[in-house]
Amino acid sequence: MASIISTTFDQLNLDDPFFDSLKSMYRNFSTWFRNKAEEHASCDVVYDAEGNLKAMLYTKIEGKYEDYSRMEKPFAPSFRLKIGTLKSELRGEGIGKKFLEMAVERARQDPGISAVYATIFADKPELSGLVKMFESYYFSRRCMLCNGETVFEYPITWWRNPKQED
């Protein structure tokens, strides 16, 4: 498996062909990307042997009172980890699955987080593999956004040791 490297958006090149599909799918992607670069937001990436960007994961923790009004069935107040970007051009190498595992593990490290979620244009044929990967990792289709994206959710369950309860 290729090496996953942690970096920041300001270390990435928005003009890299890797981002072309994201720019075409999401109208405000370039503005969003530049904002993340200004914030020095972190992400995880994979490069091929020639130094070409081939995969990326961006996650963020959303606050208890995040605005979910664009959802047909808004989330109740809680902390969540959102997968903001997950893209891999490395088919069959397990990078996408590894990224999902990383996101879920990040959420499990924080007992305040109730779920991991992502939004995907599930009806786009070119994203069918991504949808299947999310579903195979037990993300469920929760609802739709007003822009037509499907919200996929993975609840984080916290178990308590009965001996620790007083």
Side-chain angles (χ1 to χ4, degrees), residues 90-101:
L90 299 168
R91 303 291 181 252
E93 294 193 29
I95 296 295
K97 182 179 178 191
K98 179 64 178 168
F99 279 166
L100 279 181
E101 290 170 355

Side-chain angles (χ1 to χ4, degrees), residues 44-129:
D44 300 291
V45 297
V46 175
Y47 293 95
D48 66 12
E50 291 77 40
N52 299 306
L53 183 59
K54 291 296 179 182
M56 178 181 173
L57 171 67
Y58 165 68
T59 61
K60 72 172 187 168
I61 295 175
E62 292 187 334
K64 191 171 185 177
Y65 296 105
E66 192 76 24
D67 179 11
Y68 297 114
S69 62
R70 294 177 47 228
M71 293 181 182
E72 66 182 10
K73 187 173 116 182
F75 286 127
S78 183
F79 290 93
R80 288 175 185 75
L81 187 129
K82 180 180 183 181
I83 299 174
T85 304
L86 190 159
K87 179 182 176 185
S88 176
E89 295 177 350
L90 299 168
R91 303 291 181 252
E93 294 193 29
I95 296 295
K97 182 179 178 191
K98 179 64 178 168
F99 279 166
L100 279 181
E101 290 170 355
M102 288 171 59
V104 169
E105 187 56 32
R106 284 175 186 164
R108 286 184 174 145
Q109 296 299 314
D110 184 337
I113 294 177
S114 64
V116 178
Y117 84 99
T119 62
I120 304 171
F121 285 108
D123 60 340
K124 293 194 178 281
E126 63 269 28
L127 297 179
S128 64

Side-chain angles (χ1 to χ4, degrees), residues 149-165:
E149 286 181 280
T150 301
V151 177
F152 287 82
E153 180 182 31
Y154 183 98
I156 301 296
T157 304
W158 293 96
W159 298 97
R160 292 184 145 184
N161 181 342
K163 293 179 184 178
Q164 293 176 337
E165 293 184 18

